[in-house]
Amino acid sequence: MSQQQLKGAWALVTGASSGLGEDFARELAAQGMNLVLAARTRVPMEALASALRSAHGVEVVVESIDLSLPESADELQRRIAARGIQIEVLINNAGFGVYGEFVSTDWARIETMLQVDLMTLTRLTHRYGAEMAARGHGRILLISSIGGYQATPLYAAYCAAKAYVLSLGEALNDELGRRGVTVSVLSPGITATKFLAVSGQRATFYQRMLMMQSLPVVRIGLKALARGRASIVPGVANALTVFGNRFLPRRWQSAIAYQLMKN
């Protein structure tokens, strides 16, 4: 479907209560798309929904759901189907990081992170990817990280999860692209959201220097999705970081990442 044809169609944005998810919702509403907002915290989503209805005249549905629960993806899909809504664009944005030495970190936090960042994301992609493929059209945006391009001490499990997301999305861009479905991966660097506060890290000098605002990141991701790009790294400094790693031994990449990430 063209951008014009998407007006009046439905988009699902996960992690829509703040940060990138909120800006994805704002941008899609401005393009005339109806929205399903999904996250655990209802109040900020209701406020956002009210503002988007008033500003753009679109329909907005709020689904409060804990995406760290194993059956949450299926439950969310059932709720949306019960409303008779067909999802044309899936923004698989929900996720968070856990900072610290791997073996010193509480396992429950790591497991919860992996459920959201890996399993729920994959299940939603599988369910809605199948629906879109059957129709012959649809768009899916997965959110990875520049950390997905290299091993990163102190974010070991998080960056490993994002490497999975990057690989999954790039593979599906080819696989589902043959059936009319676009899958793109957006891999931001550090962004001015609640990421650091949730992960438990204080911003390093490197992060403060390279931090991007949320809205430009979102716009770059949506443009890449509209163009059918398999993956995109927003920001010149982030793109140069990823490109430069190609010329370094992997052991050096990890050692440098540790120095840049440690508090």
Side-chain angles (χ1 to χ4, degrees), residues 10 35-38 49 53 59-63 83 85:
W10 285 88
L35 297 169
V36 178
L37 308 180
R53 293 184 193 110
E59 296 182 62
V60 185
V61 170
V62 171
E63 289 291 354
R83 295 177 179 270
I85 292 173

Side-chain angles (χ1 to χ4, degrees), residues 90-103:
L90 168 61
I91 308 295
N92 236 330
N93 167 74
F96 67 97
V98 174
Y99 177 79
E101 292 187 350
F102 180 74
V103 297

